[in-house]
Amino acid sequence: MHASYIRNLDLVIRKIERARLAYNPHHIVSLLAVSKYATIEQITLLHECGQRAFGENKVQDLKQKMHILESLPLQWHMIGTLQENKINTLIDLNPTLLHSLDSLKLAIALQKRLEAKGKVMRTLLQLNTSFESTKSGVSPTQAKEIYLEILAQCPNIKLEGVMSIGAHSTDYKAIEKSFVLAKDVFDSLQDVGAKTLSMGMSEDFEIAIACGANLVRIGSRLFGS
Ligand SMILES: *Cc1c(COP(=O)(O)O)cnc(C)c1O
């Protein structure tokens, strides 16, 4: 039981390492273990293997897992769509990073509540770089303008970069294209302090790293059997 998770983690780390070195030996890539399908026991085992950063896509699940695992020194990330009625709960959880700030409207609502509570939150602006209507996020052509607008209007939101979900496709070129678009937006934000480019999941993280991702979000490859 233990062995299979250690093996999964080792395999993922080896693949990240190979992709990272091929991209640039000085490039550093962080691994976020997406635990939305994982049990408490699985998360605990991965923690024992040295993994510290975990991500959830629902505020309720984040709250429950953070509470049960509060004695462990874990970093918790929120990666899923944030509904406005869950903003207060999320602020109170004090997550390490919100990856899914996906509109100016949400940013303004979040800013209002952060200000009222005297809190700040580290976030990434989510981009829709695959132009799939089922995906949230701002369009790459408007991204810089919206990013600057949030920086100007939302002092309690600490924007630190962008997040993207690769095109839902088996075509390498289509996936690569969506990641290249995200990297272009990320590069255009260097002068305003963007430092995190969150992209790449179980099926496409090596492509994402080849396109410059420095944070990958991996679930099923770690927790699948
Ligand atoms: C579920 C999820 C992941 C991880 O997906 P896997 O394919 O299981 O690695 C990454 N990012 C987001 C936003 C997710 O919802």
Side-chain angles (χ1 to χ4, degrees):
M1 171 96 175
H2 288 233
S4 85
Y5 297 111
I6 296 172
R7 200 165 56 234
N8 287 354
L9 182 64
D10 282 351
L11 198 65
V12 165
I13 289 173
R14 263 205 300 279
K15 287 186 167 168
I16 291 173
E17 187 63 6
R18 193 164 56 207
R20 177 189 84 76
L21 289 170
Y23 179 74
N24 179 343
H26 300 291
H27 188 64
I28 292 172
V29 177
S30 305
L31 168 60
L32 178 68
V34 175
S35 49
K36 65 189 182 200
Y37 307 124
T39 63
I40 295 297
E41 190 194 6
Q42 289 176 317
I43 298 170
T44 306
L45 286 173
L46 229 62
H47 162 263
E48 284 168 15
C49 298
Q51 179 64 28
R52 291 293 176 269
F54 292 86
E56 288 288 327
N57 68 338
K58 294 199 180 90
V59 173
Q60 273 322 108
D61 294 348
L62 186 69
K63 182 177 178 176
Q64 193 195 3
K65 284 176 178 157
M66 284 181 84
H67 178 68
I68 297 172
L69 293 161
E70 67 189 351
S71 64
L72 299 182
L74 304 180
Q75 293 179 7
W76 288 99
H77 296 227
M78 171 64 186
I79 62 172
T81 302
L82 176 61
Q83 286 158 350
E84 290 199 15
N85 63 3
K86 299 283 167 46
I87 289 177
N88 280 326
T89 310
L90 184 68
I91 293 173
D92 294 342
L93 291 173
N94 195 22
T96 296
L97 184 66
L98 167 66
H99 292 231
S100 43
L101 189 66
D102 58 12
S103 69
L104 182 59
K105 181 172 174 282
L106 179 64
I108 288 167
L110 179 60
Q111 167 61 27
K112 220 180 257 171
R113 311 269 187 22
L114 284 168
E115 199 178 320
K117 288 174 177 281
K119 295 266 192 70
V120 297
M121 191 181 291
R122 296 171 55 206
T123 69
L124 304 177
L125 182 64
Q126 183 172 349
L127 310 175
N128 184 345
T129 54
S130 56
F131 303 100
E132 289 161 22
S133 59
T134 52
K135 286 194 179 129
S136 28
V138 306
S139 101
T141 52
Q142 292 182 302
K144 183 161 189 178
E145 189 187 334
I146 294 173
Y147 198 97
L148 295 176
E149 192 78 12
I150 296 171
L151 285 178
Q153 287 194 41
C154 307
N156 297 61
I157 294 178
K158 301 298 170 199
L159 261 185
E160 298 187 351
V162 295
M163 180 272 237
S164 165
I165 297 174
H168 184 71
S169 173
T170 50
D171 175 16
Y172 177 99
K173 284 283 162 210
I175 298 168
E176 187 182 49
K177 190 170 159 227
S178 62
F179 288 150
V180 168
L181 266 173
K183 174 65 159 64
D184 288 346
V185 172
F186 178 66
D187 286 345
S188 79
L189 297 167
Q190 291 308 295
D191 55 342
V192 288
K195 58 183 188 186
T196 299
L197 177 55
S198 165
M199 60 186 192
M201 317 193 336
S202 289
E203 298 306 321
D204 57 19
F205 70 92
E206 289 157 291
I207 308 173
I209 294 169
C211 295
N214 59 17
L215 193 166
V216 293
R217 310 177 307 270
I218 300 183
S220 41
R221 277 284 174 98
L222 292 173
F223 296 109
S225 48

